[in-house]
Amino acid sequence: MKRWATILGRGGTTLIAISLALLLVSLIPQIQMMSSEGSGRLPPGGMQILFYQQNLNPQQELEVAVTADGPLTVYLLEINIELEFSPNTGFVQRFNETDLQQILQENRDLIIWEDTVENGDYKRSYTPTRIMNATAVLYNQLDSESVYVEHDVALKSSLAPGDKVRTIAYFAVPIGVILMIPWLVNMWKERKQSQTPSAIL
Amino acid sequence: MGKGKPFLEVLASAIHEDFRFPFLELFAFLYTLGTFALANFTVGVYSQMATNEAVAYAVTTSLISFSLLIFLILVFKNIAYGLGNELEKGIIQTYFSYPLKRRAILTAKLLSGIGFSLLLFLGIQISAFYILAPDIVLPQFGTIVLTYAASLSYPLFLSAIILLLALKLRRGGIGLVVGFILYIAMSIVSGLVLIVATATKSPLVLQIMSFISPNYALQYHYGGLATVPELSLPWTPTLYEATLYVVGSYVIVAALFILGYTYFSRRLNL
């Protein structure tokens, strides 16, 4: 019984030590790697690319905030946008409404988000679970009216996804404390027993 | 009484000695912190042509780097210092009163000193990797296992040498010092091997070194060093060849441990 209490107790203290390390990791602040803001009117059937990056990794978090005065759709797609150089216009993104429609109809597995923004604010963040391409797109449906949009996109880098790590630590600490209790009680009893004879003497 | 119970008694006693409070907690904390602090998911993406396997290899290597050093420190503490001290002070003789063969006693000591440390290392590492990138861990599990096997071969080689030193020297303090000197010397040799290979443009020394540290073979297989022009060599081992180097290195490690067992069972006069 005493041995089991020791094994569980040490398991508990180890769990607490791991949780403290996880909490410490989650407290290390994120570094903002990129941020872009913009506003404008999006016509019916119009599309705007908010963000694109090759190799978005699990230590990065993409934050998208959109304010619109009408309905529109925010897509996060698992695609890479290629740039095409033209002497007149410079680099141009090779992705247009037709490409988006093709993905929506034929390659729906490339869609990570498909969120509708009704008149108001929209905010969402994404941390990938592998290294992947990511492109955030705003799209105004053909049958709707022109919409005024304000957007704010940020890419942050951290050691680990803070929320996930913190949640694990919050669950692990109480489990560790519960496992520790019998061990601590045993230790306290042993100390008390060893102190009693000397107190009498 | 069967043989299982005395063995478990010795194992429990060894674990109790090797991981006195708060050593286990401290090392678990360092493993966790080191794994997250040095994880680098950008390492595998410099090359546009990087395969999923190469990315998994690069990410795993970045996760392992610091924790391997902590693992080695733990092995130094448990084997060079711990076992060395027990031999020096004659504590190990008390285990001979158990109805166990010497090799079973050494197995219990090694399971505690190396096995338990390895379990802690792998448990924390793979859990952390899964928390960070589950979609890399599951599809590339084979690559990740091979990378761990290749990366752990060299520390286990050093552990076997440290065990032999501890058995030969029978002193805790000096075993620890010699172990650290050996580690530094081996690190210098590893650096020199790379310089010699690139200077002579011949992979021969790297191929020999790959039997001790098969991570070189795996690194060249996945093209990790080929992206650095100064370190590129006419050597691209296939996966089969890289796996053979890993197997070969474990044969050497096993031979060294068998030597340790033989010495402890037959030649060590206690």
Side-chain angles (χ1 to χ4, degrees), chain A residues 3 6 9-22 24-25 28 33 54-55 57-60 80 127-131 159-161 164-165 168 183, chain B residues 8-9 12 16 19-26 28-30 32-33 36-42 44-46 48 55 59 120 124 130-136:
Chain A
R3 181 161 285 171
T6 309
R10 294 301 301 280
T13 51
T14 309
L15 212 55
I16 291 171
I18 292 170
S19 306
L20 286 176
L22 291 177
L24 192 64
V25 166
I28 296 169
M33 298 178 74
Q54 255 190 335
N55 306 323
N57 71 54
Q59 288 177 311
Q60 294 175 326
N80 173 32
T127 303
T129 52
R130 62 192 160 90
I131 296 165
L159 290 180
K164 210 189 226 182
V165 167
I168 294 168
W183 182 56
Chain B
L8 287 177
E9 285 290 331
H16 181 71
F19 296 96
R20 280 181 178 279
F21 185 80
F23 279 107
L24 178 64
E25 292 75 7
L26 182 71
F29 179 85
L30 287 174
T32 313
L33 199 63
F36 281 102
L38 282 142
N40 185 3
F41 282 83
T42 53
V45 295
Y46 290 126
Q48 299 292 313
V55 169
V59 172
L120 191 68
I124 290 175
Y130 188 78
I131 290 169
L132 284 169
D135 289 338
I136 293 179

Side-chain angles (χ1 to χ4, degrees), chain A residues 52 81-95:
Chain A
Y52 65 95
I81 289 190
E82 287 174 20
L83 295 175
E84 196 173 55
F85 184 75
S86 142
N88 301 325
T89 55
F91 282 103
V92 179
Q93 294 154 353
R94 276 179 56 190
F95 188 76

Side-chain angles (χ1 to χ4, degrees), chain B:
Chain B
M1 189 163 60
K3 280 193 176 176
K5 203 165 182 207
F7 179 79
L8 287 177
E9 285 290 331
V10 174
L11 180 63
S13 165
I15 290 174
H16 181 71
E17 276 303 313
D18 288 339
F19 296 96
R20 280 181 178 279
F21 185 80
F23 279 107
L24 178 64
E25 292 75 7
L26 182 71
F27 279 92
F29 179 85
L30 287 174
Y31 274 142
T32 313
L33 199 63
T35 302
F36 281 102
L38 282 142
N40 185 3
F41 282 83
T42 53
V43 288
V45 295
Y46 290 126
S47 168
Q48 299 292 313
M49 299 301 284
T51 59
N52 288 338
E53 289 82 7
V55 169
Y57 167 76
V59 172
T60 312
T61 310
S62 79
L63 278 173
I64 295 173
S65 57
F66 182 69
S67 296
L68 265 189
L69 187 66
I70 299 169
F71 170 70
L72 263 179
I73 292 170
L74 195 51
V75 171
F76 280 5
K77 181 194 94 57
N78 292 343
I79 304 296
Y81 188 73
L83 185 65
N85 250 351
E86 287 188 2
L87 287 164
E88 187 181 354
K89 292 177 181 167
I91 300 166
I92 205 94
Q93 277 97 326
T94 57
Y95 293 125
F96 295 159
S97 59
Y98 286 92
L100 282 174
K101 285 187 175 165
R102 278 189 174 198
R103 63 167 182 265
I105 293 167
L106 186 62
T107 304
K109 294 297 294 177
L110 291 180
L111 274 180
S112 160
I114 301 173
F116 197 75
S117 314
L118 200 61
L119 207 68
L120 191 68
F121 168 82
L122 288 174
I124 290 175
Q125 281 265 306
I126 293 176
S127 308
F129 203 168
Y130 188 78
I131 290 169
L132 284 169
D135 289 338
I136 293 179
V137 175
L138 295 176
Q140 300 301 331
F141 196 70
T143 309
I144 291 168
V145 168
L146 187 65
T147 310
Y148 272 105
S151 303
L152 280 167
S153 163
Y154 176 60
L156 288 175
F157 171 81
L158 282 179
S159 306
I161 301 270
I162 287 167
L163 171 70
L164 289 171
L165 280 172
L167 293 176
K168 188 74 190 160
L169 297 169
R170 294 191 211 177
R171 287 211 170 91
I174 199 162
L176 196 66
V177 173
V178 172
F180 269 111
I181 291 171
L182 181 77
Y183 173 69
I184 293 164
M186 288 296 283
S187 305
I188 293 168
V189 168
S190 304
L192 285 175
V193 159
L194 208 60
I195 293 168
V196 169
T198 46
T200 57
K201 289 282 169 203
S202 161
L204 185 67
V205 276
L206 271 181
Q207 285 165 338
I208 295 166
M209 193 65 186
S210 290
F211 281 109
I212 293 172
S213 181
N215 212 8
Y216 282 117
L218 217 55
Q219 216 165 0
Y220 274 91
H221 167 71
Y222 288 119
L225 293 177
T227 51
V228 185
E230 292 80 18
L231 297 176
S232 65
L233 282 173
W235 186 41
T236 313
T238 61
L239 186 63
Y240 177 72
E241 283 169 341
T243 311
L244 275 184
Y245 280 111
V246 175
V247 173
S249 73
Y250 275 94
V251 169
I252 292 171
V253 169
L256 287 172
F257 273 110
I258 289 168
L259 199 66
Y261 268 96
T262 314
Y263 187 79
F264 187 78
S265 304
R266 294 178 188 170
R267 305 286 300 274
L268 193 66
N269 297 318
L270 291 168

